[in-house]
Amino acid sequence: MNLNQLTITEAKKGLKKKKFSSVDLTNACLEQIKKYDKHINAYISVTEEKSLKQAEKADQKLAQGDNSPLLGIPLSIKDNFSTRGVRTTASSKVLDEYIPPYNATVVSRLLDAGMVMLGKTNMDAWAHGSSTETSDFGTTKNPWNINHLPGGSSGGAAASVASYETIAAIGSETAGSIRQPASWCGVVGLKPTYGRVSRYGVIAMASSLDSPGPITRTVEDSALILEVLAGKDENDATTSEKTTATYSKNLNKDISGITIGISDDYFQGVDEEVKQAIMDTYKPFEKLGAKIKKIKLFDPKYAIAVYTILQRSEVSSNLARYDGIRYGHDRSFFGDEAKRRIMLGTYTLSSGYYDAYYKKAQQVRTLIIKDFEKSFGEVDIIIAPTSPTTALPVGASKDQSMFGELADMLVEPSSIAGLPGINVPAGFSKNRLPIGMQIIGPQFSEELILNIAHKYEQETPWHTTKLDINL
Amino acid sequence: MNFTPVIGLEVHVELKTNSKMFCRCTADYFGKEPNSHTCPVCLGLPGALPVPNKLAIEWCIMIGIALDCKIPLFSKFDRKNYFYPDLPKGYQISQYDQPFCVDGSITLSNGKKIGITRVHMEEDTGKLMHSGDDSLIDFNRSGVPLVEIVTEPDFDNAKDVKEYLQKLQQIVRYLDVSNADMEKGNMRLEPNISLKKDGEMGLPNYKVEVKNINSFRFVEKAIDFEITRQKELLEERETPKQETRGWHEAKQKTVSQRSKEEAQDYRYFPEPDIPPLRFEESYISTLRSKMPELPDEKMNRFQKEFNLSLYDSELLIRDKESADYFEKTVEDGKKFDINPKQIANFIINKKPNLSEVLPAELIQQITASRQTSHIDESELDEIIKSVFENNQKAVEDFKNGKESVIMFLVGQVMRTSPVKLDAQMVKEKLKNALL
Amino acid sequence: MKINVTHIAKLANLPLSHEEKQKFEKQLEETLSYVENLKEIDTKDVEPTSQVTGLENVTREDAASPSLTQEEALSNTKSIHNGFVKVTAILEQ
């Protein structure tokens, strides 16, 4: 097993036992990047020199007995997180030369926890998409089949984990941008409750929806990263005061008696293979003592409308600061997708249309939230396919103005309601493309969904499937 | 045709908090190196987020209380979206439909009641300066807390506007929340002016906003100029254009700036980065109890409690420091049998430098000025004799009936005397001597 | 319904060519058609949600902290003059 194929848990163990060093781990990842990233294009910026310096420092600290939670572990960071002194582009030409003078809170916390930053990963420009094809820095390819897309907008992050170009990654989700690429790339992606992790320093997409989160090989790794990221931030007024938990502590808790909800509405328009894979999860869940219960959920097709309006409205305002005056290039450098979204959002907020669009969407949002609250009175968690399909071929999103929204129909409702959701691998299609299942819980139920996800993961073979990259 | 001006005011007051409205940069930006007091938040860098200043909100509410406003228990911030180079985020965080304070009023000295529509909180923009074809921007001011006070269009003349501004400035200084210095830009005025034909119902169908009035000196002038300009147009049966005009200090006239015809669509929506504010009644009551005695209140009390005239009271309460000084001096004066009226007269007429003299010292000065020394009768007679000899014309005049000349002679005696004399006593003696 | 693309582009401060305007007009109308279904939902007396966290009263104390230096603040600015951010040709003023 190559060092870059380890999980965080395994890497930590090995570092502690002095089987290898952080420099070894980092070099293994850098080697993998050098070998394959020209085909996969998961990274926009690789910070080789910096990362090796960080690794050296980590090794010194390890020798002194420092036990910071992520000490010496190489991670990749999605390129919408501000990293001081390191170019941050949001995959847009507008910011192709922008170097932030400050760190996002997530980045500060990871650095304090001892991480080694390998570089910044590719994404849909401004996070506007579910394919990573709208990046101004080229498409990222799916490591399972490079003629297919990795999903988005955290496509680079998911691909970097799946291709062993990093031990783990940090992404962000507005509606699907962690869970969907995790699903298409066969890895674990956690979107925490909105307000659980600070957005300070994350280039804003939709302020009332954006949630940073980890993309990892295992559920345990996801829990370990969440422990570092979660918590109130005085720089972000929308972070919750609720106490965080040691998310990795109770992963093995017995889940017998847990009721799992599943809705037929969430099978609408879903590929047969994907549907089958989800239904195949009932057996392992029942084996673990959980009960599957059919429930009725607010039809997700309305979530598409709500999300489209809310997101584009907030985007039109959040992207107003990019005028090229204080930093970056002027607005003519925006790509088509960004321009479209800004325009639509300007329209839905404009005089005479605000009530019919923005206000209406916020009202339906209330109904969706209430609907979930009702359901969580009947069941403990909800499962569903993460995406209606497996990874689509490269080019599938071109000139499709609603590509993302339609592809993310199944994740939009929980995002709109601010709920936490996790994607876990749930099988493969006939042509060996990963299929993902999402587990959704009530607000701040990360401990619960991680527990259930971990039990499912351990009960199934998917997480042990190694990807043989032959490029 | 007779026209009546219809004027509403928008005043912005810069708060003197330690930090800015949504970030921890210092709010004290005046005279600093450009762009040396900014951070990701007030510079509008990607990823930055606002966190509201608790004290600024309190101060805004206190201004509202001072203006007799209702304080709703629920409020929020909204985004006002527009593009201008001095606006780093491309939107200003302000308040739209649920401001902190609404429906207040203030009464002028002529009894006229001016309605206060709202008092709300927002952030200042950067400072834009023109330099040839270029514009130079300093973002030190970006994000400084601003309170906006909007009146109903209840004014009909420039003098009242000036008085309102003075009263507002005084209130805000009493609350110690702003220096409210027009010249330094921490109090800004934007009147909306239109003219109504006498007999016409409702408000005129246009209004002109005037910006850039940067000193108290020109408030009346600018408004009067604009009123005249509009009157001339209306007399020609032309409706003045709805627009924004700037007061040009050098030219002493208003000049057209940008057309308000196509009203800006600000696309207000609730600020998603800042949770709303919900106040308990007890919190508002606490703020009310924290309010200092306001100028009008104090003025009325001084009249009653110290038996002073309206004129004298108004002078004494002009600023809080002087008013407090006066009251302290009254306390000290009690031990020396000096009454408030005497103190008031002394302060108003003699204009001592209150920052250099302690109240107790002032009492000493007053006592000294009232004390008169003893003088020998014979010495006094000598002085009177020499004064008569040196001022024969004055003596003649008095004897011929010019009574007022006596004070001149009293003055001469007082000057010649080596010690301080009781003027009244001297006057009596002179009169007797001359009769 | 017809979107006035020229007006929207102006509000949004986006420079668009004539071709872009035509292209976008079609695409934007297509997007709008997807959101029409919201009309089917009865939202009478439903409060809009702008804050899913349910948080209220999040403020901070009035304490100042060090700012970025002038150099840091302007480190990404292309056009500077004596510490000021320089812009050429503002809109009519």
Side-chain angles (χ1 to χ4, degrees), chain A residues 138 236 251 259 298 365 418 443:
Chain A
D236 177 353
L251 293 172
T259 313
F298 203 92
R365 185 178 200 174
Q443 278 188 319

Side-chain angles (χ1 to χ4, degrees), chain B residues 79-189:
Chain B
R79 290 195 189 174
K80 181 179 182 181
N81 297 281
Y82 68 96
F83 289 92
Y84 206 67
D86 65 4
L87 190 66
K89 298 189 291 296
Y91 59 86
Q92 181 195 38
I93 302 179
S94 175
Q95 294 194 287
Y96 180 51
D97 57 336
Q98 292 179 294
F100 288 125
C101 323
V102 293
D103 279 351
S105 70
I106 189 172
T107 309
L108 303 178
S109 61
N110 59 13
K112 198 172 246 157
K113 198 168 175 191
I114 305 292
I116 305 287
T117 318
R118 52 190 281 148
V119 179
H120 76 246
M121 202 70 244
E122 58 187 36
E123 53 174 346
D124 210 343
T125 63
K127 204 146 185 219
L128 193 80
M129 275 157 292
H130 296 288
S131 166
D133 276 335
D134 298 328
S135 294
L136 301 176
I137 319 173
D138 175 12
F139 290 98
N140 285 347
R141 195 185 69 176
S142 164
V144 168
L146 279 185
V147 172
E148 180 173 325
I149 302 148
V150 181
T151 73
E152 293 291 313
D154 289 346
F155 292 95
D156 63 16
N157 71 80
K159 219 160 190 283
D160 284 351
V161 170
K162 186 155 180 212
E163 186 191 329
Y164 167 80
L165 278 183
Q166 284 166 332
K167 279 182 107 79
L168 191 58
Q169 183 186 60
Q170 191 182 41
I171 288 173
V172 152
R173 285 178 177 176
Y174 257 64
L175 291 172
D176 204 18
V177 300
S178 170
N179 295 327
D181 214 321
M182 271 189 96
E183 287 71 11
K184 283 224 175 88
N186 38 45
M187 183 165 99
R188 300 167 216 163
L189 164 70

Side-chain angles (χ1 to χ4, degrees), chain A residues 102 199 201 317-318 321 326-327 351, chain B residues 43-47 81 88 265:
Chain A
Y102 77 110
R199 290 180 297 121
S317 181
N318 284 329
R321 66 187 64 195
R326 291 147 287 123
Y327 52 84
S351 173
Chain B
L43 205 55
L45 293 188
N81 297 281
D265 184 356

